């Protein structure tokens, strides 16, 4: 009897009081990883130190999500608006995927994680794209957690491009206006074939979406924390999941 009751809960590996119901783990978690620069500034360090330290949180949260049984983890790594930052910082951010995957790819493969990337690839340098494409190819047959990096991603551009594709299909006689519904739009988004996020987490105390998955987050639960991303721990992640499990999702119903 005790064993059957225990099987309903996920016992986190970290020192935490959260007992999480295994049958109510969000299928898709999306995270706006914010606060790297402010984390560094608070320690008298250059902003790039914060981005570098944030890589450790990426690994820790990926492994925690995998242990919990999350099926999709989407991480907002670089937005279409982030090109406005100083060139030295942007150049550093563009090289982070290469450094991260050089260190972590073997472990991701060993843990059956599949790597994906969504965003506007045409503007990304070759040294950014090449290691990502290698990771995508090497993990394509993995059947565990899908680790989805949103890189040079902007939701408004994503939706604008989807509208253009639909307009071209109508122009070419492949669609009629009457056939256009939500599924037609969703098929032309980067997340085609993926479920919408059940839970959005944003770190650093900011309370906005910042042009992230505006279509897909329509009915997502949202959880915000003042913790900067480099300090966001496995325990914080479990805290967010615990709060998600306390909520009732009604999707506009009663």
């Amino acid at each position: 009897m005790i064993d059957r009751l225990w099987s309903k809960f996920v016992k986190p590996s970290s020192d935490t009081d959260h007992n999480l119901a295994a049958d109510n783990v969000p299928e898709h978690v999306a995270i706006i990883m914010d606060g790297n620069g402010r984390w560094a500034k608070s320690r008298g360090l250059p902003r790039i130190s914060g981005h570098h330290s944030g890589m450790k949180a990426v690994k820790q949260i990926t492994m925690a999500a995998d242990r919990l049984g999350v099926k999709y983890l989407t991480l907002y790594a670089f937005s279409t608006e982030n090109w406005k930052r100083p060139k030295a910082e942007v150049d550093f951010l563009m090289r982070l995927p290469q450094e991260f995957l050089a260190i972590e790819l073997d472990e991701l493969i060993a843990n059956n994680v599949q790597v994906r990337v969504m965003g506007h690839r045409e503007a990304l340098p070759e040294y950014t794209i090449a290691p990502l494409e290698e990771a995508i190819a090497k993990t394509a047959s993995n059947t565990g957690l899908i680790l989805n990096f949103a890189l040079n991603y902007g939701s408004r551009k994503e939706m604008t491009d989807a509208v253009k594709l639909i307009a071209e299909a109508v122009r070419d006689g492949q669609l009629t206006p009457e056939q256009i519904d939500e599924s037609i739009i969703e098929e032309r988004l980067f997340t085609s074939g993926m479920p919408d996020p059940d839970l959005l987490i944003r770190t650093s105390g900011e309370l906005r979406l910042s042009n992230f998955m505006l279509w897909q987050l329509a009915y997502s639960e949202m959880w915000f924390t003042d913790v900067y991303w480099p300090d966001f721990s496995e325990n914080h992640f479990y805290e967010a999941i615990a709060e998600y499990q306390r909520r009732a999702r009604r999707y506009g119903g009663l």
Side-chain angles (χ1 to χ4, degrees), residues 135-156:
I136 291 168
K138 287 185 175 180
T139 64
S141 61
N142 288 355
T143 57
L145 171 73
I146 291 173
L147 176 59
N148 182 40
F149 291 103
L151 188 63
N152 195 29
Y153 172 85
S155 188
R156 288 186 172 183

Side-chain angles (χ1 to χ4, degrees), residues 29-200:
V29 177
I31 304 179
I32 300 175
M33 306 180 294
D34 196 16
N36 291 340
R38 280 168 285 167
W39 179 91
K41 183 179 179 181
S42 70
R43 288 160 172 75
L45 301 170
R47 287 177 58 84
I48 59 174
S49 296
H51 297 308
H52 195 270
S53 293
M55 288 198 313
K56 299 174 185 176
V58 169
K59 177 183 178 180
Q60 185 177 28
I61 301 310
T62 298
M63 295 299 103
D66 186 42
R67 283 192 295 272
L68 274 182
V70 173
K71 292 183 172 61
Y72 300 85
L73 179 64
T74 296
L75 302 178
Y76 202 10
F78 190 89
S79 77
T80 50
E81 291 74 36
N82 287 155
W83 295 105
K84 301 172 186 176
R85 295 184 177 188
K87 184 177 183 303
E89 182 175 349
V90 170
D91 289 345
F92 184 84
L93 288 167
M94 288 294 105
R95 294 194 180 276
L96 274 183
Q98 184 179 43
E99 181 177 352
F100 176 78
L101 291 168
I103 298 169
E104 307 296 349
L105 182 55
D106 287 345
E107 188 168 351
L108 292 174
I109 292 171
N111 283 280
N112 200 29
V113 173
Q114 183 185 130
V115 176
R116 294 187 187 177
V117 178
M118 71 176 191
H120 312 283
R121 298 191 187 190
E122 61 276 4
L124 296 173
E126 177 63 21
Y127 58 77
T128 303
I129 286 294
L132 288 168
E133 289 183 341
E134 179 185 2
I136 291 168
K138 287 185 175 180
T139 64
S141 61
N142 288 355
T143 57
L145 171 73
I146 291 173
L147 176 59
N148 182 40
F149 291 103
L151 188 63
N152 195 29
Y153 172 85
S155 188
R156 288 186 172 183
K157 179 170 172 51
E158 175 188 33
M159 289 190 283
T160 300
D161 289 349
V163 170
K164 290 178 181 178
L165 291 171
I166 292 169
E168 291 171 0
V170 171
R171 180 196 63 197
D172 297 340
Q174 299 168 358
L175 276 176
T176 65
E178 293 74 22
Q179 290 175 307
I180 300 171
D181 58 13
E182 289 187 10
S183 67
I184 293 295
I185 297 171
E186 288 170 352
E187 288 169 2
R188 289 158 176 81
L189 300 177
F190 289 127
T191 50
S192 177
M194 295 173 58
D196 291 340
D198 300 291
L199 173 64
L200 170 75

Side-chain angles (χ1 to χ4, degrees), residues 3 16 20-21 36 39 42 63 236 246:
D3 289 341
T16 174
L20 303 176
N36 291 340
W39 179 91
S42 70
M63 295 299 103
H236 294 118
R246 286 191 288 267

Side-chain angles (χ1 to χ4, degrees), residues 212-229:
F212 183 53
M213 300 182 83
L214 302 178
W215 175 280
Q216 298 90 338
L217 292 172
Y219 277 100
S220 303
E221 297 297 320
M222 298 184 185
W223 189 84
F224 301 93
T225 177
D226 291 336
V227 175
Y228 295 142
W229 176 247

Side-chain angles (χ1 to χ4, degrees), residues 224-243:
F224 301 93
T225 177
D226 291 336
V227 175
Y228 295 142
W229 176 247
D231 287 333
F232 190 77
S233 67
E234 182 179 352
N235 194 40
H236 294 118
F237 185 67
Y238 290 130
E239 183 181 350
I241 303 298
E243 173 60 27

